[in-house]
Amino acid sequence: MLILHLYNPETNDWQSGDLNLLQLPLHGDQKAWIDMSSASYAEQQQVLNRFQIHPVIAEDYLRERHPPKLEAYDGFTLLILRAFAGESFHEYPGHAQLSLLFSNQVLLYKCQLPEEAGHYKVQAFDVNRPVTPIKEWVKSYIHTVSASYLEKLINFEDELGEFEDAMLSHGDDHKMSRIMRFRSVFRKLDRNLAYQKDMFADLLTPDDGGAGVMSQFEPVELRDFYEKFERLHSMTQMYYDQLGDLVSSYMSTSSHQINERMKVLTMISAVFIPLTFIVGVYGMNFDHMPELHMPLGYYWTLAGMAVVALGMLLGFKIKRWW
């Protein structure tokens, strides 16, 4: 089911209904806002056919999963955006895809959410909202998409600081697994934001293909869009690198601790090797071993073993091995 809102400049109000309410071409200051989020594939095709959308543009708009894209043809501009649909970075349920196809008088809107992100909401169309140019609605959706990342990235900065303190004081494998999950989420965010940043960056030096898009937005607006997503992308990369540094620090610390334990075990083994040799010699069952008949032989042997052990420990201390 699709929802149509049609603005009538003569009565200065909005009429809501289905596609039967739409009479093309639109005249004067008439505006149409069509929500196709819940429309069937056939209904979406019907709308696109009525507006005579180019088949290539229509194909991209109809796809359920499509990388962010900005393209213009024959008075219409296609804008596909990806918003973060999770409640926080503790999980990544997927992204919300906003597909906007608009001209000076028409906005075809579609929002697709992953099943696990039922709490994510995009502001619904308000018929009481003052009438503004179509591009102002598009700008509000772009800001909504960037805000879906920005608020969570700012909040994550404090959480990351706590993570760093916790890993330095008492890091463990449980915290490591959480860090690895965060890195996985940020890797996906990095990909989505890189798409959108590059999409607007290409329009700052437009070629012939971008002329239609440039006619919809002022250069200063395009630069503002680019700077928003460039900052988000930079923050995502920074946090991803910081999480990687925590992993490296934890691995280095763990390796150092293991090396210290191995050093102690090695020194103990080194001390007992000559002592074991002495015990082995005097444990041999030969008939003629003069030391076996010495009254103080047992005590002299123990004393010699103690001297060897203490001498080796002293040597380790002089070499600063412990």
Side-chain angles (χ1 to χ4, degrees):
M1 183 185 77
L2 58 84
I3 301 173
L4 168 66
H5 299 289
L6 183 66
Y7 174 70
N8 188 343
E10 296 179 358
T11 58
N12 193 28
D13 62 2
W14 291 90
Q15 296 175 286
S16 300
D18 56 22
L19 199 58
N20 295 326
L21 188 64
L22 182 64
Q23 300 294 326
L24 296 179
L26 297 178
H27 299 286
D29 292 331
Q30 279 188 308
K31 292 181 175 62
W33 187 93
I34 305 177
D35 184 355
M36 299 200 289
S37 301
S38 302
S40 66
Y41 187 86
E43 288 176 324
Q44 294 180 52
Q45 275 192 320
Q46 182 183 3
V47 173
L48 297 176
N49 289 337
R50 289 197 63 174
F51 284 103
Q52 299 180 344
I53 304 300
H54 191 279
V56 174
I57 303 293
E59 181 182 2
D60 290 340
Y61 184 83
L62 291 171
R63 286 178 59 180
E64 293 185 1
R65 290 179 58 87
H66 197 290
K69 183 175 185 178
L70 182 58
E71 185 175 2
Y73 182 81
D74 196 23
F76 275 88
T77 299
L78 172 65
L79 176 61
I80 299 177
L81 298 168
R82 285 183 176 179
F84 183 73
E87 187 173 2
S88 69
F89 293 144
H90 290 271
E91 59 183 9
Y92 182 76
H95 59 265
Q97 178 170 305
L98 270 66
S99 302
L100 309 174
L101 187 60
F102 58 96
S103 65
N104 290 328
Q105 291 181 285
V106 179
L107 173 60
L108 308 181
Y109 166 86
K110 183 170 64 172
C111 179
Q112 296 165 287
L113 297 174
E115 295 180 359
E116 299 84 354
H119 67 276
Y120 180 81
K121 301 294 183 183
V122 179
Q123 185 177 2
F125 182 82
D126 184 4
V127 295
N128 297 318
R129 179 180 176 181
V131 179
T132 57
I134 295 290
K135 77 169 187 177
E136 295 299 323
W137 298 349
V138 176
K139 286 171 60 177
S140 70
Y141 286 124
I142 295 175
H143 295 325
T144 298
V145 169
S146 65
S148 71
Y149 295 94
L150 181 61
E151 181 180 359
K152 299 175 182 65
L153 285 170
I154 292 175
N155 293 336
F156 185 75
E157 184 175 5
D158 295 333
E159 188 171 358
L160 182 58
E162 296 174 359
F163 243 132
E164 290 177 336
D165 296 338
M167 288 297 291
L168 289 175
S169 59
H170 46 272
D172 53 37
D173 291 341
H174 175 67
K175 293 185 179 66
M176 271 290 294
S177 65
R178 292 183 63 192
I179 289 176
M180 296 309 295
R181 285 199 299 271
F182 279 129
R183 278 173 61 85
S184 176
V185 171
F186 276 101
R187 189 159 44 241
K188 297 180 179 70
L189 298 184
D190 179 82
R191 183 167 58 247
N192 288 343
L193 291 169
Y195 278 137
Q196 295 174 113
K197 179 195 73 171
D198 294 341
M199 178 178 70
F200 290 113
D202 292 340
L203 295 174
L204 297 179
T205 54
D207 52 15
D208 293 339
V213 180
M214 291 295 290
S215 65
Q216 293 287 335
F217 295 101
E218 298 293 332
V220 66
E221 294 173 326
L222 293 172
R223 179 167 293 279
D224 179 62
F225 300 153
Y226 165 75
E227 289 177 351
K228 285 182 182 295
F229 286 100
E230 195 278 331
R231 284 193 296 270
L232 294 172
H233 186 239
S234 297
M235 293 175 68
T236 301
Q237 286 187 321
M238 179 181 66
Y239 292 154
Y240 181 81
D241 292 340
Q242 287 180 315
L243 290 169
D245 292 341
L246 285 179
V247 172
S248 299
S249 299
Y250 176 75
M251 297 300 293
S252 299
T253 302
S254 299
S255 178
H256 177 71
Q257 292 173 346
I258 292 173
N259 289 338
E260 289 296 313
R261 296 188 183 103
M262 290 301 298
K263 184 169 67 174
V264 172
L265 293 174
T266 302
M267 287 190 295
I268 293 174
S269 300
V271 169
F272 276 91
I273 285 174
L275 304 185
T276 305
F277 173 75
I278 295 173
V279 171
V281 169
Y282 289 103
M284 294 186 292
N285 296 320
F286 290 105
D287 291 335
H288 302 287
M289 295 184 69
E291 294 85 353
L292 296 178
H293 302 289
M294 294 175 60
L296 300 177
Y298 172 73
Y299 300 104
W300 281 110
T301 302
L302 287 181
M305 294 170 67
V307 169
V308 171
L310 292 174
M312 294 186 68
L313 291 175
L314 180 61
F316 294 154
K317 186 65 175 180
I318 292 174
K319 292 180 177 293
R320 296 182 178 179
W321 289 357
W322 65 289

